[in-house]
Every structure is written in C-alpha cells, then in structure tokens.
Amino acid sequence: MTQEHKRLRSVVKGVGSALPKRCVSNRELEREVDTTDEWIVQRTGIEQRYIAGDDETTSTLGAAAARAALATADCLAEDIDLIICATSTPDYTFPSAATMIQADLGITKGVAFDVQAVCAGFVFAVATADKFLTSGSHKRALVIGAETFSRILDWRDRTTCVLFGDGAGAIVLEAQEAQAAEGTAADRGVLTSQLRSDGRHRAKLYVDGGPSTTQTTGHLRMEGKEVFRFAVGQVTDVMREAFAATGTTADDLDWFVPHQANRRIIDASAQKLGIAPGKVVTTVQFHGNTSAASIPLALSVACADGRIKRGDLVMIEAIGGGFTWGAVIIRW
Ligand code: ACO
C-alpha cells in the first residue's frame, strides 16, 4: 500500500511587535524641520512615528518583537530552528541582525541570517522561510522585520525625513501538513509568494554610502514622485499573479496588508485591484514608513484588535529600493 505524502505548509502560529519608547508627532517635527502637520498628513497620511533612542537598535527591537511573537505562538525560543531578519539598517555591517537576535533569545541551534530587500524585505523573508519550511529542512521559523531608518535619514532633507520611523514586527511560522496531498487554497499557511526585482531603478531610491564605496553608512535619497509612480503603476503585477497562482480573487480576500509607505499609494493599489476599502489594514498614520518592519507591525495591530482571525485569507505586498517587490497570500 502506498502512503500518501501530504505537502507541507508554513502556518502562522504567532505575531508580535515592538516600538521605540519615543513617539514623535508631526507637530513636534515642525520644531526641527521646515514642514507642517497639514503637508505631511495630506501627502502621506502619516501623523506620528517612533524614533529609536541610543539604547535601542534594530536587533534589540527585533528581539523584543520576536519575544512577543513567541508568546502569542505559545512557543519557546528553543523550539525555533530558523531565524530570518529583514533589515536594511542592521546594528553593524556584520554580523547579521539575525544572529544578534538569535544570541539575545538564547538560541544556539539552527540557522539565522538577514535578508535585504529594503521595504520589500519582510515579503522576501516570508517567501524565503516558506521555502525552508516546506522543503522539510526546518520546522519552526521566526521571521522578523526590524529597522532603525532614523539613523540613515538626512534630517536636513524635508522631502524624506518626515516619512520614516523605527520599529519591528515578527511572526512565527511552523511547517504543518496540508489537508490534501497537492494542497489547496483552503489550507492554512503560505499559499503562494511572488517576488520580483529590477536593478535598473537603483537611482530612484538608494543610500549614498556603504562599506565598499564611501566607508560610511550614508543617507537615504529618493525621487519621491518616481517611486510613487512605479509603486502604483507596476506593483499590482505580483498581486495579480498571486491571485492567479491560488485561484483566488480580490473578493476572496479578508485582509489586504500592504507595505505602509504612504496612504495614497495604499489606497490607489487597493482600488486598482478592486479590493474593498474595508479590507485594507492601514497603520502608516501611527508608525510612518518603517520599511521592512511595516507589514509585521500592521499584522500585529490587526491581530491584536481582532480583525485578522484564524482561517482569514490575507495578502501582504510591498515595494522597496532596487526596485524589489512582491506579494504573498497566507491563509491565517
Ligand atoms: N514639508 C513641506 N513641504 C514639503 C515637504 C515637507 N516635508 N517636502 C517637500 N515639500 C514641498 C516641496 O518642496 C514642493 O514645494 P514647491 O512646489 O514649492 O517646489 C512641494 O512640497 C511638492 O513637492 P513634491 O515632491 O512634488 O510632493 P509630492 O506631492 O510628490 O509628495 C511625496 C512627495 C509624499 C514624497 C510623494 O512623492 C510620495 O509619496 N512618493 C512616494 C514615496 C514613498 O512613499 N517612499 C517611501 C519609501 S519607498 C517605499 O517605501 C517603497
């Protein structure tokens, strides 16, 4: 008798987040930067952001988010055999933030590494973890998005410094058998991931320093209008492909949790795909753009307030520097 081998799915067991102690409102920023609350809210929807203090780094925020995710997953640190941290602002050029978080959590087994795809980092990290878990090589993963973008902002450049904030979010993924051998869209877990990159767009969004060029950390530079145009014009391709790969449509989605860069980009992308406004999770007003941390922060908010529930169909989607972009559909 042949035994049926069911495929594995990466199922979300828990989610958590962490923010720096200091919250900075637009009004407070007005004192330091030539800007206004009205300009920021109208152009971006951002009302406040959190800024890391000297004692707060990407890895300390990431470790705090990981602990919160482990608590909701009812898992111990020792149950984890894979840690992937998405970040463009690690504490040091090396070692990775992931290995620092691993040590902070007291984990000595398994593997830990960073993924760098700027604001799309968390989507890339979930897709990467899913490949490890569904191959059967690893059992339980912490996937973290953690950033301290305040450290790479040029605070004299009002066109960029008002947009970003610091923070971290994390999820625990566990390899579980799907209901059927081939897997269906009714399974819990990651159902598909669609990733893209196109390096020709580097000059539109980049950091002007690094170890191999200037030997400095550098500052973020951005052509805001160009990024906006690409984000709304192109990014929906991966979302369409994610729907096609799972045989689902915008109507089947319970929640759309996009990268939180700008309310106008979020609204325009949802509208283009026919996703009802009531299904869109928006937290950019509270956190600003926290790059790779923005999606797990938003997931954490929407799980804590009871919106995202077990069995819900959730799409996460992001675009970041490079450009890099991607979408993942998860049944919670
Ligand atoms: N406060 C007040 N005025 C400002 C500010 C500010 N912080 N920044 C720019 N201005 C002024 C400009 O100087 C300009 O003045 P002028 O008309 O006298 O020359 C005016 O506001 C309009 O500037 P624009 O750059 O045309 O403003 P725009 O409407 O394009 O909005 C923005 C700028 C918000 C950056 C927009 O282009 C955008 O949202 N782009 C998307 C970029 C983004 O979200 N990136 C996030 C990082 S990438 C990612 O996460 C994927």
Side-chain angles (χ1 to χ4, degrees), residues 33-36 39-40 43-44 119 158-159 162-164 205 222 224-225 227-228 259 261-262 264-265 289 319-321:
V33 180
D34 179 19
T35 190
T36 62
W39 191 97
I40 301 170
R43 293 293 211 290
T44 70
C119 300
R158 67 176 182 171
T159 68
V162 303
L163 304 175
F164 295 89
L205 181 55
M222 177 174 73
K225 274 195 202 314
V227 175
F228 192 100
H259 169 48
N262 180 311
R264 290 187 300 151
I265 297 178
N289 181 349
I319 171 189

